[in-house]
Amino acid sequence: MQLCEVYDDARRAGARIYAYDIGFADAVTVEVNGAYGIFVDFSRGKDWRRLSWQLAHEIGHCATGCTHKVSSRHDLIARHEYKADRWAITRYLSVEALRRAMAAGYTEPWQLAEYFDLPQKAVEQALYYWTQCRGVDFNTGRSRDL
């Protein structure tokens, strides 16, 4: 995943990215009258892989329209976070992209993380989503409900 691709997706989603010392989070998305701002706290010592995935998640909030008030109920926040994660996974770690990487010999989560230039945790999250939530079998090439 290229960082320039993430920035292009932010532009398409109508989001602007700002550097801001948030203090309580790595990044947050704010929506005001249909316009989105993604605020990233660069002082929190992120590497480029983590930053790319964090931005992908935040763009997921913009692309799905899933933003909420800080005082929202926990179940609403959890649903919005899930939808943002799901958007990032389907956009950057699709079944097809994962299968291409696996066919090229990248089969372990750490290898896939290096291949996609993303954190291993993001790859593990995507593999869980595709196999456990969507029924994809990467060993046989079959899918339960895609």
Side-chain angles (χ1 to χ4, degrees), residues 48 52 81 98 119:
W48 287 111
S52 295
E81 295 301 320
L98 287 164

Side-chain angles (χ1 to χ4, degrees), residues 27-93:
V28 295
T29 298
V30 176
E31 183 266 330
V32 177
N33 298 327
Y36 296 96
I38 298 172
F39 297 84
V40 180
D41 191 341
F42 290 100
S43 69
R44 294 178 70 93
K46 291 184 229 187
D47 61 30
W48 287 111
R49 288 178 174 192
R50 220 173 120 210
L51 172 65
S52 295
W53 191 247
Q54 185 68 51
L55 285 173
H57 169 87
E58 295 303 326
I59 295 166
H61 283 293
C62 305
T64 61
C66 289
T67 59
H68 48 267
K69 295 178 181 177
V70 174
S71 61
S72 294
R73 294 183 339 258
H74 290 289
D75 63 327
L76 176 66
I77 294 170
R79 281 196 309 265
H80 287 181
E81 295 301 320
Y82 176 81
K83 287 180 180 181
D85 284 339
R86 185 179 65 197
W87 183 89
I89 288 167
T90 58
R91 171 69 177 101
Y92 300 109
L93 292 169

Side-chain angles (χ1 to χ4, degrees), residues 3-18 36-38 55-56 58-60 62-63 87 91-92:
L3 193 55
C4 62
E5 182 181 14
V6 176
Y7 275 88
D8 284 345
D9 285 341
R11 182 184 46 76
R12 280 193 287 280
R16 294 198 167 206
I17 299 171
Y18 303 96
Y36 296 96
I38 298 172
L55 285 173
E58 295 303 326
I59 295 166
C62 305
W87 183 89
R91 171 69 177 101
Y92 300 109

